[in-house]
Amino acid sequence: MELTELSPALLSLREEAKKGRDPTCADETLAYLLALCGTRSPARILEIGAGEGLTACALLSACDARYTGIELDAVRAECARHNFQRFGLEARATLHEGDAGEILPLLEGEYDLIFSDGPKVQYLRYLPDCKRLLKRGGVLVSDDVFFLGKDLSAVPKKRRMLALHLAEYREQLQNDPGFETKFYEYGEGVAVSIKR
Ligand SMILES: C[S@@+](CC[C@H](N)C(=O)[O-])C[C@H]1O[C@@H](n2cnc3c(N)ncnc32)[C@H](O)[C@@H]1O
């Protein structure tokens, strides 16, 4: 499914969300995720940082997968539940409201597609659970991995910790023999890691 084939109501919610503090993923990133759903027909999708459920609604519109999302913010979680109902997707969507660091270790089973889009400073902490929960051949898509750019010396001191964290995350993904990772310039950068 192409981005333009999504329901006009969902596209308009996306435009609104892009103006907010924790916006929904970039168009290019969503287009890539939609293409993945088309080629891979995932049976189970996990999203860390579900936000208002807009990416979830798009992906569930594009395939028959079941979806599990984790969202810390109660208002966004409520909004996500409302959106699942609005688009008739609630039967395939489960939302855990709370801290991904606490919820991820409790999840079981295997996922075909994991979209890591929660707090960037926690990506490394979430990685072992993402790996554990990912099916062999499954795909981990990590959003915003080039947030703050690639040149650490150009990052203001205040943001250096986060930039270092993301640099280490990229390095771990690239050097992990259990993953085959490629980086793309979609939005603020996307890492696509296939579990070997
Ligand atoms: C970039 S937004 C997610 C957008 C969403 N993935 C989408 O594409 O529409 C990041 C989300 O992570 C959530 N978040 C922040 N810290 C979290 C945590 N510790 N556990 C779970 N979610 C968290 C934020 O509340 C926010 O909604």
Side-chain angles (χ1 to χ4, degrees), residues 22-25 47 49-51 55 70-73 76 98-100 115 117-119 126:
D22 266 325
T24 191
C25 72
E47 182 178 29
T55 293
I70 308 175
E71 175 53 49
L72 180 67
D73 184 275
R76 286 200 192 113
D99 183 354
F115 184 41
D117 194 24
Y126 299 157

Side-chain angles (χ1 to χ4, degrees), residues 8-19:
L10 181 52
L11 289 172
S12 130
L13 285 176
R14 279 182 52 76
E15 289 313 307
E16 266 312 298
K18 283 181 198 168
K19 299 175 195 158

